[in-house]
Amino acid sequence: KDSYPGAVSNNNIAVAYHNAGQYDKAADFLEKAYQEEPDDPYVCFNYARTFEDTDPERYFQLLKKSYELDKNNPVHVFLYGHTLYQRGRRDEGMSLINKSVDLWTVRLNNGTLRSWDYGWFRDAARFLHRDDLVRRINDAEKMDDAPYDENNLLKTNSTRR
């Protein structure tokens, strides 16, 4: 689609503004991105987060939609499951939280965790009281942040995940 690159760009700009603490600007760009591409799971997820504190029902509906658009994204699975749990749908929520941990564990085992996965994965493991997994996540994150790889070669941006 012609509009897809615009939505991706607006989403990325919004993430940068959010990371810089400029939440209002981030919300503006996420709204634009969502208007351009409402069925993009990442845009939908990030847009949902703008309503977390201001409109809990809109937040929940968008979070559910992002999960339905990509049921194998562990971040979407975890946060939707956690929200279900908080809303009293504990069995369904726990099932999804466990699924998210399973999805992340595959990434952990094959070395494909992304930089943003660590914090979310750690939160899910802590929620499940999986201290053993929290230690593994912490160790993997330290290794990923190390300047040298397993062959003692210097990592560069072109080889990092």
Side-chain angles (χ1 to χ4, degrees):
K1 290 182 180 177
D2 291 338
S3 65
Y4 187 77
V8 170
S9 295
N10 284 327
N11 185 65
N12 291 342
I13 292 167
V15 169
Y17 274 125
H18 183 271
N19 290 343
Q22 296 186 30
Y23 305 115
D24 290 340
K25 286 186 179 182
D28 291 342
F29 278 93
L30 284 167
E31 186 170 350
K32 288 178 192 175
Y34 186 74
Q35 289 172 355
E36 293 171 3
E37 195 65 43
D39 292 329
D40 180 292
Y42 297 98
V43 168
C44 191
F45 178 83
N46 288 335
Y47 188 51
R49 302 289 311 272
T50 67
F51 295 102
E52 190 169 5
D53 297 324
T54 60
D55 188 344
E57 191 54 37
R58 179 84 169 131
Y59 166 72
F60 179 73
Q61 292 305 318
L62 288 165
L63 196 58
K64 179 180 179 184
K65 182 178 177 180
S66 73
Y67 163 73
E68 290 171 348
L69 289 168
D70 188 355
K71 292 182 179 183
N72 289 313
N73 182 311
V75 176
H76 302 185
V77 174
F78 169 64
L79 199 53
Y80 180 57
H82 189 263
T83 303
L84 287 172
Y85 185 90
Q86 289 178 319
R87 288 176 160 233
R89 295 165 63 182
R90 293 181 184 270
D91 291 342
E92 190 178 358
M94 285 300 287
S95 176
L96 290 175
I97 294 167
N98 278 300
K99 177 182 177 180
S100 72
V101 167
D102 292 343
L103 291 166
W104 274 311
T105 300
V106 169
R107 290 183 183 180
L108 176 65
N109 291 338
N110 65 22
T112 59
L113 282 173
R114 297 178 182 108
S115 60
W116 60 84
D117 282 326
Y118 292 104
W120 290 104
F121 188 13
R122 190 174 13 257
D123 288 346
R126 283 185 180 135
F127 186 82
L128 297 175
H129 306 287
R130 295 280 313 274
D131 295 336
D132 59 318
L133 194 51
V134 171
R135 283 189 293 278
R136 281 189 65 206
I137 296 163
N138 289 340
D139 290 345
E141 186 173 30
K142 287 176 194 170
M143 290 298 294
D144 198 36
D145 287 340
Y148 298 97
D149 66 14
E150 64 277 0
N151 297 315
N152 205 29
L153 298 173
L154 183 64
K155 293 180 185 178
T156 64
N157 287 339
S158 63
T159 60
R160 301 256 344 242
R161 288 186 289 286

